[in-house]
Amino acid sequence: YISTENGYIRKIGLDGNITTIAGRPLSQGGIVGDDVHGDLLAMNNPTGMVIDKDKSFLYVADTGNHRILRIDLNTRRSVTIAGTGSCDLAGLADNSPALGASLCSPTYLGLDSDKNLIVV
């Protein structure tokens, strides 16, 4: 999986072919939001990505939109799992709900052995 600065997530298959998983610029009718199909999903400079062990979900740091997305690789639907969409450093507190956290330009992602998502 590769991400591009213009907001696309693409997959390079074992056969060498490239397919678009998600991405459409706002200027071309893209939508920032939840439960959006990958063909319509507007991301702003997606950077870090990690796929779960079962290869069902792709987690994406939507850096410019200050949020973390989970894309279902079967349906290509997205949901925001962390971040409010704003960059307010005071909005991040321990033990607060992830959707209420103000993430300022999240960049790198990882999954630990307990399936906890690590965000940098």
Side-chain angles (χ1 to χ4, degrees):
Y1 292 88
I2 55 174
S3 64
T4 63
E5 190 173 317
N6 61 350
Y8 289 93
I9 303 293
R10 295 198 163 105
K11 175 183 173 182
I12 302 174
L14 295 175
D15 59 4
N17 290 322
I18 296 175
T19 55
T20 299
I21 301 299
R24 180 180 290 194
L26 285 171
S27 63
Q28 296 177 13
I31 301 168
V32 175
D34 286 332
D35 198 28
V36 176
H37 190 272
D39 292 341
L40 296 174
L41 181 61
M43 293 172 283
N44 184 352
N45 194 23
T47 52
M49 296 180 290
V50 66
I51 192 166
D52 72 334
K53 184 178 177 180
D54 299 327
K55 299 181 182 170
S56 298
F57 296 104
L58 180 68
Y59 297 89
V60 179
D62 188 3
T63 303
N65 286 326
H66 312 292
R67 63 195 184 135
I68 306 298
L69 302 174
R70 183 182 70 212
I71 300 173
D72 183 315
L73 292 173
N74 296 312
T75 65
R76 293 181 43 216
R77 308 261 341 150
S78 69
V79 63
T80 301
I81 62 165
T84 62
S86 70
C87 181
D88 176 10
L89 295 178
L92 187 61
D94 285 344
N95 298 317
S96 62
L99 285 173
S102 177
L103 303 177
C104 192
S105 302
T107 307
Y108 301 105
L109 301 178
L111 283 170
D112 69 12
S113 60
D114 292 327
K115 298 182 182 179
N116 292 306
L117 186 64
I118 315 297
V119 179
V120 178

